């Protein structure tokens, strides 16, 4: 297992380098001039040229990439063109909010989807199965942005149960206040992934239920509870774990919309503002962090997969 972990970590190096190349090219080949945005439309040609030189934008693109990577490895993420602050400092102040929201959404998705999938499989092709899968299909069909608006209207504005904006109420920093602000955006994020987890868990449980060792366990008189939780669920979880890892990436992508809708002060809002202002260092740093989180989530899934199924070896 230790050798497998080391090899998987080494395999991430070219992936991360490829991500940096894609992020750099995407930002630098997109239209717009950061110097013109910073100085405004009335800036002189000389001032624009001087600012481009100061920012290193007049260098050949490969050299700009090498300089950026060199600074990145040294821990220098650059400075925000718009906000005049260290990119590393900006990201560190927003990253906690993004991780908290994504973790809450993923935990809620698993907490809803896993039991629903197991129950649907246990009562397969019954009314309970159809009701659960129908509900999950409805949740899967709802776009995150639209679902977020519905939650704000129903539970925030009409019923007044939860706040609809921000991470804390003005002047408050209590965990209870944070939890109240977290509920609606986490639910908006979790519904779609929960449906996917439920459908995969149901299909996997039904597949495992038809295997020989389950029939043999039934013949030995093992009770339904022990049969489900001790014999069937662990094997059925293997494909579900893969789906959960993929949903972690979905959550990171959908979180940008949710952060904007709920005014959640996370990395997604920072990147959107950076894109609008053509703030290359902020957007590059933000995308790199999100991509690294996505890769790390997939690594965690691979390791958990290997733990659940010892037959898996590094290839």
């Amino acid at each position: 297992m230790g050798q497998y972990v080391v090899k998987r970590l080494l395999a991430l190096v070219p992936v991360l380098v490829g991500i940096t190349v894609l992020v750099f090219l995407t930002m630098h080949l997109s239209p717009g001039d950061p110097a013109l945005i910073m100085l405004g439309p009335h800036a002189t040609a000389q001032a624009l040229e001087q600012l481009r030189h100061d920012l290193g934008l007049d260098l050949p693109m490969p050299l700009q990439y090498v300089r950026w990577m060199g600074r990145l490895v040294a821990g220098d993420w650059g400075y925000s063109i718009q906000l005049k602050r260290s990119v590393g400092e900006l990201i560190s102040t927003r990253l906690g909010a993004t991780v908290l929201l994504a973790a809450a959404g993923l935990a809620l998705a698993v907490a809803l989807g896993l039991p629903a999938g197991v129950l649907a499989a246990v009562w397969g092709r019954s009314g309970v199965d159809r009701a659960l899968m129908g509900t999950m299909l409805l949740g899967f069909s709802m776009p995150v942005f639209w679902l977020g608006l519905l939650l704000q209207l129903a539970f925030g504005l009409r019923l007044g149960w939860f706040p609809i904006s921000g991470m804390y109420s003005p002047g408050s920093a209590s965990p209870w206040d944070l939890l109240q602000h977290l509920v609606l955006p986490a639910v908006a994020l979790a519904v779609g992934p929960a449906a996917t987890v439920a459908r995969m868990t149901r299909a996997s449980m039904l597949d495992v239920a038809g295997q020989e060792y389950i029939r043999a366990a039934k013949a030995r008189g093992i009770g339904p509870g022990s049969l489900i939780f001790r014999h069937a669920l662990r094997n059925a979880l293997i494909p579900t774990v893969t789906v959960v890892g993929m949903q972690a990436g979905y959550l990171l992508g959908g979180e940008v919309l949710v952060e904007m809708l709920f005014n959640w002060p996370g990395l997604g809002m920072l990147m959107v503002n950076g894109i609008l202002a053509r703030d290359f260092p902020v957007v590059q740093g933000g995308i790199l962090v999100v991509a690294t989180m996505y890769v790390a989530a997939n690594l965690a899934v691979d390791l958990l997969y290997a733990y659940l199924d010892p037959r898996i070896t590094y290839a």
Side-chain angles (χ1 to χ4, degrees):
M1 186 66 182
Q3 187 180 8
Y4 177 76
V5 173
V6 172
K7 287 182 177 178
R8 290 291 293 117
L9 288 174
L10 291 176
L12 291 184
V13 174
V15 175
L16 292 174
V17 172
I19 289 172
T20 62
V21 172
L22 285 176
V23 170
F24 181 84
L25 290 178
T26 301
M27 291 307 304
H28 284 73
L29 293 179
S30 55
D33 184 353
L36 183 61
I37 293 174
M38 289 178 66
L39 297 179
H42 303 296
T44 63
Q46 185 178 8
L48 288 171
E49 185 178 354
Q50 181 61 45
L51 183 56
R52 292 190 190 106
H53 176 73
D54 294 341
L55 296 175
L57 298 176
D58 56 345
L59 296 174
M61 199 172 291
L63 186 55
Q64 289 187 47
Y65 173 75
V66 171
R67 286 184 58 181
W68 177 57
M69 280 297 293
R71 290 173 179 170
L72 207 61
V73 172
D76 180 5
W77 292 61
Y79 282 84
S80 164
I81 296 172
Q82 179 191 23
L83 303 175
K84 311 295 183 187
R85 292 174 59 189
S86 163
V87 172
E89 178 188 344
L90 287 171
I91 290 177
S92 65
T93 58
R94 301 294 190 97
L95 186 59
T98 292
V99 171
L100 175 64
L101 181 55
L106 188 61
L108 191 56
V110 174
L112 292 174
L114 197 59
V118 172
L119 290 174
V122 170
W123 279 285
R125 297 177 181 84
S126 68
V128 174
D129 179 20
R130 285 191 287 273
L132 285 171
M133 289 300 102
T135 303
M136 290 299 162
L137 181 61
L138 181 64
F140 183 77
S141 306
M142 290 185 180
V144 171
F145 196 78
W146 185 69
L147 176 61
L149 283 174
L150 286 182
L151 292 173
Q152 285 181 321
L153 288 172
F155 297 101
L157 297 178
R158 184 171 293 275
L159 297 175
W161 290 356
F162 301 104
I164 62 170
S165 177
M167 193 169 174
Y168 289 100
S169 301
S172 173
S174 72
W176 176 246
D177 188 52
L178 171 62
L179 184 61
Q180 287 182 308
H181 282 79
L182 184 60
V183 170
L184 294 186
V187 171
L189 267 181
V191 169
T196 304
V197 171
R199 292 172 66 83
M200 176 54 72
T201 303
R202 175 187 179 274
S204 184
M205 284 287 290
L206 289 176
D207 181 57
V208 169
Q211 294 188 14
E212 190 66 32
Y213 76 96
I214 294 293
R215 289 198 291 271
K218 281 183 182 177
R220 292 200 304 272
I222 296 177
S226 179
L227 195 66
I228 294 170
F229 294 105
R230 290 189 56 190
H231 296 274
L233 188 56
R234 175 166 177 166
N235 288 331
L237 279 180
I238 293 175
T240 304
V241 165
T242 305
V243 169
V244 170
M246 294 172 65
Q247 295 310 304
Y250 169 85
L251 285 172
L252 290 171
E255 193 164 338
V256 174
L257 294 175
V258 173
E259 286 187 5
M260 290 176 61
L261 182 62
F262 288 90
N263 195 28
W264 188 264
L267 201 53
M269 280 194 64
L270 180 67
M271 286 194 294
V272 170
N273 292 331
I275 290 171
L276 295 176
R278 305 286 302 156
D279 198 339
F280 284 159
V282 168
V283 180
Q284 287 177 164
I287 294 177
L288 195 58
V289 169
V290 172
T292 303
M293 290 168 64
Y294 182 76
V295 170
N298 278 277
L299 173 64
V301 169
D302 286 347
L303 298 181
L304 188 56
Y305 205 104
Y307 170 75
L308 291 171
D309 188 351
R311 295 171 299 176
I312 296 174
T313 57
Y314 184 80

